Every structure is written in C-alpha cells, then in structure tokens.
Amino acid sequence: DLDGVISTWNAGAARLYGWTAEQARGSVSHDLLHTQPIELDATPNESVLGLGLWEGRLSQRRADGRAVIVQARWAVRTGPDGNPVVCELARDVTEKVRAQEAAAQADSIERRLEFVVDACDIGTWYSALIPLDDAPPSAEVLNFGMQSGELTISDVCRHHLGLPPGTAIDAAAINARIYPEDRAGVADAMAAAIASGGEYDATFRTWLPHDDGIRWVRGIGRVAFDDRGTAVRFDGITLDVTGEKHLEHVLRERESWFRALADDVPVALWQTDPAQAWVYVSRQWREFTGSTLASNLGDGWLVHVHPDDRAGLVATLLEAGQRREPFAVDYRLRRHDGVYRWAATLGMPRTAELGRHEGFVGCVIDVHERKRAELALIEDDRRKDEFLAVLAHELRNPLAPIRTVVHLLGHERATPEVSRRALPMLQRQLVHLVRLVDDLLDVTRIRTGKLALRRMPTIVQDVVAQAVEASGLSASSSPQLTVRQPAMPITVDGDATRLVQALMNLLNNAAKFTPAGGEVSLEVAHDEGEVVVTVRDSGIGMDAEFLPRVFDLFVQAAAPQDHGRSGLGIGLTLVRSLVELHGGRVRAWSDGHGHGSTFEIALPTM
C-alpha cells in the first residue's frame, strides 16, 4: 500500500531477496530491504503523488545480509478493494553494475597509464609471434626462428625508431631503421629471450631520416609463451637514451683525460672507496713499484711499504677516514729494484651530495732527497750540540793550567825556579789553544771558500819529516812509528804548510786511537802520476757503519785513553778538505773494531 506494507510477494522476489512470501507479507518494504537509492529519476513521494510511475537502481539487503543491486520500476494502480496500491518490478543487475564499474576503473587506469607513458616519452609495442611452420608465406621472417604477426606500436615508439607518420609498420620496416652494425645484437638479444624465457634488453642506434642523425634507443620487453611452450607474443617498451649515451661518452672522455693526466704528472695519484680500500692508482706508482693495477687494489699496495712504517701509516689513514680530514704522512716505499726510498702521501676526503663520504684522493711524492736533507740537518744539529760541549771542555783544559801559571807568575813570592818550570807549561797550553782556534778558523775558511793555498813545488819527503816531527811520534815512542818512503824525491804542486797540517792530523789521529805498545806506520809510494801516503795503526779500529761518516764535520769516536774525549771532530774533516783543495783524494777503511784503521792520501805529482 502507500505506507509500504507488502501484500503480494511472488516467487521471483523470494529468489531475489531470500525471504518467502509468508515472511515478507505484512512487513514494511523499506525496513525489510533497507533500501538505499543509487540512481533514481525522482523521489518516491513525488512519483507516487504526482507522476504515478518512477524507476531507478537501488542497493537492497537480502535475507542472508548480502547487498544486491536491483533495477526497479514502480507504478501506482488501483487495488481490488478500489484503493491505490504500489506495484514494483525488480531485476538483479549486481553483476552488470560491477562489470561496468570494473571496466570503467580499468579504462581509467589505462588512460592514466597512457598519460604517464606518453609524459615519460616511453614508446610501446605489441607483436604477435608465429612459429615458422604456422606462419603464412607473407609473414616477415625474423632471424631467430620466428615470424612476426600483427604488430602495433605507439606514436612515441614510432618517433624513437625514426619511422615517418603514415608509413606501414612491419618487422622489415623496423629492422631497416636499426643501425646496420647493431642489428645482429638486437636479434641475438631476442633469440636469447625466447630461449631462456627471460627479459629482452637491447640498446641500439636508429637512423633519423629527417636530419640524417642517429638516436640511441633501449628496448625492454618480454616474450609470452602458450601452454605448449611456444613463443606467441613479444611486447615491450622503447626509451630514448641518446642523452644518457652522450653523457656516458662525455664521462668516458673525461675519465680518459683524467687517466692520461694522472699517468703523465710526475707524482703517483690514487683513489679509495669509503672503506679506505684503493680503487685506482696511476702509472707512476705502478712503474715505481714494478706492480700491476690489480695487485694494488684494496690493501694490496701496502706490501710495498717498509714493514716498520706500515702500522703507523694504516693508523694515520684510519684516523683521517674517521674524521674525514686531509692528512699527510711520510714513509719508506720499496722501489722495483728492492731499494727503499722516502715518499710522502697527501690525501683529501671526497664528499658527494648531502655530505656522503666517498673516500679519499691523494698523491705520492718521492721525497727521498728532502728526507735525507732533513735527517742530515737533524744529525748536524746533534753534532753541533756535541761539538759545543766538547769545545767547551777542550778550551777549559788549556785555560785551567794557563790561569794557574799566570797566578803563580804574578805572585809576589814567585822564584826564578817557578818561572823556569811554569813557562814551558804555559807555552804548551798556548800552542794547544792556538791550534784549536786555528782549526776552527780553517774549517770556517774552507766552508766559505776563503782559504787560499800558497802553492809551489813541494817535496813530499820534506812534508813527511815535518809532520812526523810535529806529531812527536818516533821509532822509540809509544805507540811506535815506522816510516817507509822512497829515497828519490817526489814533488807535488802544493802548500807545504797545509800538507803538513793534513798529514800531522792523520798521525795524531792514529796515535790517539792506538793504545800504548801499539804501532803506527807511514808509507809513501809513487804510482802512475800520483803519490800515495798511507797511515796505518793497530788501534781500536772502526765499525762498518761509522766508516762512511768518518770525514764528516763534528763526527767523533771515543778515545779510550782520553776517557771518552776524542777532540772536536774536525781534524779528519780538515784532512779531506785540504787534500781535495790540492786536487787529491782521501779514504779510510778498517776491518772492524779491534783491527786498527788505515787512512790514505793520494796527490797528483808534478
């Protein structure tokens, strides 16, 4: 009736809604079905009171609680009792509506997908594949054992392949647009995808007829198979990767330029990853160490570092890596011939976007000569300190007795006997003091180039005689001196005073380091245009590590009989300098500690 109370409920309604006629009669239709309108052409009140007929779609509830969508039509009629009644015709359209909604959603997704694909400049293709046995004679034969069937490509794909608008599309037309040198690679990639059932991925060049240029295209696709395992479809996309290829070319050019530069600069360059493992080292390092690039990657390069320097070097690198700070460190590096040379490594951290640490880059420089100079300066400084200490001691020794003699001579009770005994002591100490000062002055003059020689023909035997006399050594002294020299005079162009000074220093040195009861010998020989004067002693000798430095300034060896005092360390330096000023040479050798020493002076003869 007009209040919605159900009076008639047929079998179709029972099947649609799940309630029997007995259950439905007397119920209010809206309460029973919980009707929710979806599409109505008018409200029910308006229809019933004014129009008399209305229809639309409703979402209604079944007896089991499920929703059902019905297409309903209502009409107002006169009932058997003469009163108006509402008649409803309802049809189940649930599946139809859901199918329409799914189709609309799919169409929306497809439109959105097409929009995204076009906006991203992605081309698409869809191609049927036909086995050779089933293909019609007109089908295009592909070189991977299949024939192409129906082929569809998007406008973007057509643009990527350089196909003019309106041209027929088939496998032959596409193959003609592929750069000849790349066609075999494309076919091989397709054949591999069919054989393995995997993805197709090939990058190739295409001709551009409008400007006679070339475009790089990447094709990505997948082959579909039927239940028998036969390839039936080949679908995929195309991407224009010309920009990427150009960038790769630029990067390769830059890398090639960098490697050429790195290999040509006079220092070794290296690069690490964030874990401080080497990923690159230039040709300079490889040639210096005699190694290959692969053998140096990771931490392989450490094998060339001196074992004593590795721990400190690694600790410096790790600390710099943790702090992301530049570093510099010196260490000894083994050359390809096995010789270790000092090298300096300088490193700088590499930082990418957002502050990400990407490792270090740096260089290795040969600083062997600089390091030797630094060590020599340190050694010279140490020797100077020792020299000043020894000089103070050596000056105090003669000054103490001189002060005593002066005090005695100035005393009012000084007798002639005291004066007679004191004056020789004063003379000896003054001679010693003058000699110290003269030696210091001579060293300074030689080092500044201000020492002038008074050269004239000089007989070597006379020089020997004066030097022996000044040294105080003789056949009856201790140590005992033996002199052997030819009777025929040997003449050199030299300064007799300076030659006597040099030879006397050698004799004094031999006496100082030879214990009492030992022997010193002096031998003169004439050999092929030069005279050789050799001084040997049976003293304490010299160790092998001391020999290369024996003529260096301020180098001293302890003399046992002098309680560790060995002079100023300038005597042998003067010997070498004076001999070299005369165009000669000097050398020393020893068989080791306790086996004596030998010094040799060689001068050109006139």
Side-chain angles (χ1 to χ4, degrees):
D1 60 16
L2 295 182
D3 294 327
V5 178
I6 299 173
S7 59
T8 302
W9 188 269
N10 69 357
R15 288 192 302 272
L16 176 59
Y17 295 110
W19 281 283
T20 64
E22 290 77 7
Q23 293 172 323
R25 290 191 189 103
S27 300
V28 179
S29 63
H30 187 275
D31 294 340
L32 183 70
L33 302 177
H34 294 285
T35 303
Q36 294 181 358
I38 298 176
E39 296 178 2
L40 296 175
D41 57 1
T43 62
N45 289 337
E46 291 176 347
S47 300
V48 171
L49 298 176
L51 301 177
L53 178 68
W54 57 280
E55 64 178 317
R57 287 182 181 176
L58 300 173
S59 175
Q60 297 181 323
R61 188 187 66 174
R62 287 173 44 86
D64 56 8
R66 290 188 299 112
V68 61
I69 300 174
V70 298
Q71 183 77 26
R73 176 177 293 184
W74 294 267
V76 179
R77 297 286 185 264
T78 301
D81 57 0
N83 294 319
V85 296
V86 178
C87 301
E88 177 184 338
L89 174 66
R91 180 164 53 91
D92 185 359
V93 293
T94 303
E95 296 302 325
K96 177 181 179 181
V97 169
R98 290 177 177 172
Q100 290 174 345
E101 291 176 349
Q105 183 178 11
D107 183 62
S108 176
I109 293 175
E110 183 177 355
R111 286 197 301 270
R112 290 199 298 270
L113 180 60
E114 289 178 354
F115 173 77
V116 172
V117 168
D118 290 341
C120 296
D121 195 33
I122 300 175
T124 58
W125 86 81
Y126 309 95
S127 174
L129 296 179
I130 307 172
L132 292 177
D133 296 339
D134 302 333
S138 60
E140 175 67 25
V141 179
L142 306 177
N143 63 349
F144 42 78
M146 304 294 291
Q147 292 181 326
S148 65
E150 181 183 357
L151 176 62
T152 303
I153 67 174
S154 67
D155 292 339
V156 175
C157 182
R158 180 189 290 270
H159 173 69
H160 290 168
L161 298 174
L163 292 167
T167 57
I169 302 298
D170 55 24
I174 294 177
N175 197 52
R177 303 313 311 160
I178 298 177
Y179 202 70
E181 295 180 1
D182 298 341
R183 291 172 186 168
V186 173
D188 291 342
M190 179 62 183
I194 292 176
S196 64
E199 286 189 353
Y200 159 83
D201 193 339
T203 302
F204 51 91
R205 291 163 291 181
T206 60
W207 296 95
L208 302 180
H210 53 281
D211 58 2
D212 197 27
I214 291 177
R215 174 184 287 115
W216 281 95
V217 177
R218 181 183 180 188
I220 304 174
R222 183 177 290 277
V223 178
F225 299 85
D226 60 14
D227 295 339
R228 297 176 299 172
T230 303
V232 293
R233 293 204 60 80
F234 177 38
D235 305 329
I237 63 173
T238 58
L239 302 171
D240 185 346
V241 294
T242 305
E244 289 86 340
K245 282 294 183 179
H246 176 69
L247 180 59
E248 289 178 7
H249 174 73
V250 172
L251 291 176
R252 282 196 302 269
E253 289 291 324
R254 290 184 178 179
E255 181 178 3
S256 176
W257 173 84
F258 167 76
R259 290 184 180 272
L261 177 64
D263 287 341
D264 290 338
V265 295
V267 298
L269 302 180
W270 51 264
Q271 179 181 344
T272 74
D273 62 12
Q276 294 290 64
W278 277 23
V279 296
Y280 170 75
V281 64
S282 67
R283 177 173 55 85
Q284 295 288 347
W285 171 280
R286 303 195 300 269
E287 290 183 352
F288 184 88
T289 58
S291 58
T292 63
L293 175 61
S295 66
N296 288 287
L297 300 183
D299 60 357
W301 62 276
L302 282 171
V303 72
H304 305 293
V305 178
H306 195 285
D308 295 342
D309 299 340
R310 287 177 194 165
L313 176 59
V314 171
T316 300
L317 297 181
L318 292 178
E319 183 178 358
Q322 292 173 354
R323 296 184 177 183
R324 314 286 169 79
E325 294 178 348
F327 68 88
V329 60
D330 293 348
Y331 58 91
R332 285 164 291 181
L333 183 63
R334 188 179 64 203
R335 200 166 55 187
H336 57 83
D337 57 1
V339 175
Y340 282 97
R341 292 182 62 85
W342 281 100
T345 284
L346 295 87
M348 290 290 294
R350 294 187 298 125
T351 304
E353 295 179 357
L354 303 179
R356 185 178 71 254
H357 178 61
E358 292 194 342
F360 280 78
V361 293
C363 63
V364 181
I365 306 172
D366 187 339
V367 295
H368 192 72
E369 299 306 323
R370 187 206 74 188
K371 196 71 175 181
R372 287 182 58 185
E374 290 178 357
L375 296 176
L377 288 175
I378 294 173
E379 180 65 15
D380 285 347
D381 190 59
R382 183 189 64 80
R383 291 178 189 170
K384 287 179 182 179
D385 291 341
E386 294 179 355
F387 165 74
L388 291 175
V390 173
L391 177 61
H393 190 80
E394 291 287 338
L395 290 176
R396 179 179 294 178
N397 284 340
L399 288 176
I402 289 175
R403 183 175 58 182
T404 300
V405 170
V406 171
H407 177 72
L408 289 174
L409 293 177
H411 198 276
E412 60 183 8
R413 297 180 181 179
T415 63
E417 179 62 22
V418 171
S419 300
R420 185 184 64 80
R421 295 176 56 186
L423 285 175
M425 180 188 301
L426 181 60
Q427 290 173 347
R428 288 196 303 272
Q429 298 305 326
L430 284 175
V431 169
H432 180 59
L433 185 59
V434 170
R435 180 180 172 188
L436 288 176
V437 175
D438 286 344
D439 283 350
L440 289 173
L441 291 175
D442 286 343
V443 169
T444 303
R445 294 190 189 101
I446 291 173
R447 299 191 71 175
T448 58
K450 295 181 179 180
L451 181 66
L453 297 180
R454 299 177 181 177
R455 305 180 70 159
M456 63 182 64
T458 303
I459 297 175
V460 174
Q461 285 85 341
D462 293 342
V463 172
V464 171
Q466 295 179 47
V468 170
E469 181 181 0
S471 70
L473 294 175
S474 66
S476 59
S477 64
S478 181
Q480 182 182 12
L481 175 64
T482 302
V483 178
R484 292 188 296 272
Q485 56 184 333
M488 181 175 295
I490 304 173
T491 305
V492 297
D493 182 20
D495 186 327
T497 302
R498 295 302 182 183
L499 291 177
V500 170
Q501 181 182 1
L503 187 54
M504 184 180 63
N505 279 344
L506 285 186
L507 291 173
N508 289 337
N509 187 75
K512 182 185 300 182
F513 292 98
T514 302
E519 297 181 354
V520 177
S521 67
L522 188 155
E523 182 177 354
V524 179
H526 192 193
D527 183 24
E528 295 184 359
E530 66 179 8
V531 60
V532 179
V533 181
T534 304
V535 177
R536 294 185 179 90
D537 64 66
S538 60
I540 63 173
M542 294 178 286
D543 295 331
E545 58 269 18
F546 182 73
L547 277 172
R549 301 184 294 114
V550 69
F551 292 105
D552 291 348
L553 188 62
F554 305 141
V555 171
Q556 306 168 62
Q561 67 269 37
D562 283 347
H563 307 289
R565 293 186 291 107
S566 56
L568 298 179
I570 61 177
L572 293 180
T573 303
L574 281 173
V575 171
R576 180 178 63 183
S577 299
L578 292 173
V579 170
E580 289 178 350
L581 285 174
H582 283 82
R585 66 182 188 278
V586 62
R587 65 187 184 118
W589 66 91
S590 174
D591 291 333
H593 187 73
H595 294 282
S597 302
T598 301
F599 291 83
E600 180 183 276
I601 293 176
L603 297 169
T605 58
M606 294 183 63

